[in-house]
Every structure is written in structure tokens, then in C-alpha cells.
Amino acid sequence: QEEIHFDEIPLTSEEEAGPCAVIVSHGAAINALLSVLSKGEIGSGRTLLRNVCISTVKEFDDGFSICNYDFVEY
């Protein structure tokens, strides 16, 4: 059985102090969210997410930004 490793994505002190949410879902729902947040540039119909991948989204005063998606290191 193949072992999967993830790199740690460090948080800034501001991020550590603020609220955080972890969403676990099927790829179709995550792809739909990525599509909405990227105005169709990535996500549904454009992006194939691998199993157990991590996508990181941050909230800013003017909206949300996708930091990375489909992140997994084997």
C-alpha cells in the first residue's frame, strides 16, 4: 500500500488567531466551489481533483482567494 505524505502549509500569526474551517467533501462539490470562486477559470469542467487532495482558500476583505488546489505529495 502506497503511503501518502502532505507538506505542512504554515499559517501566519494572523491566520492562527483567526477563525478556520476545514471542509471535507466529494470532488464535484469542491470543484463547483473552486469554479465559483475563480469565476470559471478552474473547477468544474476544467479541473480534475485527485483523491485526498488539499485545496486552500483564504478570505480577505474584498472576497476569497484560492491559494492552491489539488495539492498532494506522494
Side-chain angles (χ1 to χ4, degrees):
Q1 185 173 2
E2 187 175 344
E3 192 173 320
I4 298 173
H5 299 278
F6 291 98
D7 283 345
E8 202 173 306
I9 301 172
L11 299 176
T12 65
S13 58
E14 182 179 299
E15 290 169 337
E16 288 180 356
C20 178
V22 175
I23 300 171
V24 179
S25 181
H26 292 280
I30 295 171
N31 257 324
L33 175 65
L34 293 174
S35 181
V36 169
L37 294 178
S38 70
K39 296 181 174 78
E41 289 184 33
I42 60 173
S44 297
R46 295 186 172 268
T47 308
L48 177 63
L49 298 177
R50 293 172 287 173
N51 289 335
V52 301
C53 69
I54 296 174
S55 300
T56 306
V57 176
K58 291 186 181 182
E59 182 180 17
F60 296 95
D61 291 337
D62 59 345
F64 292 90
S65 176
I66 299 169
C67 301
N68 62 41
Y69 61 93
D70 192 37
F71 177 80
V72 64
E73 184 175 303
Y74 292 99

